[in-house]
Amino acid sequence: MTRTTVEPVRRSVSVPLTPERAFALFTTRMERFWPRSHSVGTTPPAAVELEPRVGGVWAEVGEDGTRTPWGRVLAWDPPDRLVLAWQLSADWTYDDTVDTEVEVRFTAVPDGTRVDLEHRGLDAYAERAEEVRAALGSPGGWAGILTAYDALAAGERF
């Protein structure tokens, strides 16, 4: 059986922050722009943890304190780049056998920072790869998440 390569999901947004502030907002305040409807935990989400180091855990924390992993940190290069292992199954549950990557780059531009996101390795979903790609590429996927991040960045003062 020949495996085809599924095109990555790519989205970009420009925010009115320096790369340092854009990186910090993305990595330390994710629960403020991540949709509550995108929870994979057993209780409503209260926070998103992202341990700031290679090998660090990326997880959702429920209102009851329960941690549900989403993946781990593969590269931590502030303020330029972040790579995360996304380890959610096609059914949106944690699965440490699924390894896709989310790379986020922060590039200075005259009016702030361009944030480029690429979610790749979607072949890991095998026969459901196109279904997952469609969900991640939809307005309710990475586009909506980056739109919410942009709105937060526009009013952010930290």
Side-chain angles (χ1 to χ4, degrees), residues 41-124:
T42 56
T43 63
V48 176
E49 287 183 353
L50 185 59
E51 294 176 341
R53 60 180 174 80
V54 172
V57 174
W58 182 27
E60 173 182 322
V61 181
E63 289 178 348
D64 66 353
T66 304
R67 294 176 77 217
T68 304
W70 292 353
R72 65 190 184 287
V73 178
L74 300 176
W76 184 265
D77 301 315
D80 303 315
R81 177 175 167 261
L82 170 72
V83 182
L84 303 168
W86 172 280
Q87 295 180 291
L88 298 180
S89 73
D91 294 316
W92 311 109
T93 59
Y94 177 69
D95 182 347
D96 66 2
T97 67
V98 174
D99 272 315
T100 67
E101 292 183 355
V102 178
E103 180 172 7
V104 188
R105 291 191 172 270
F106 301 84
T107 306
V109 294
D111 58 346
T113 300
R114 188 181 71 244
V115 180
D116 296 305
L117 181 143
E118 179 179 271
H119 194 150
R120 59 183 174 248
L122 301 177
D123 288 331

Side-chain angles (χ1 to χ4, degrees), residues 31-49:
E31 67 274 355
R32 294 192 52 205
F33 61 87
W34 196 270
R36 288 181 59 85
S37 61
H38 289 32
S39 173
V40 297
T42 56
T43 63
V48 176
E49 287 183 353

Side-chain angles (χ1 to χ4, degrees), residues 13-19 21-23 25 106-107 109 111-115 146 149-154:
V13 66
S14 290
V15 297
L17 302 173
T18 64
R21 290 179 64 204
F23 186 96
L25 179 64
F106 301 84
T107 306
V109 294
D111 58 346
T113 300
R114 188 181 71 244
V115 180
L146 286 183
Y149 167 76
D150 181 30
L152 180 61

Side-chain angles (χ1 to χ4, degrees), residues 1 3-4 6 90 98 100 121-132:
M1 179 167 110
R3 196 172 207 181
T4 59
V6 177
V98 174
T100 67
L122 301 177
D123 288 331
Y125 293 108
E127 68 277 351
R128 295 186 66 189
E130 289 297 339
E131 170 192 347
V132 172

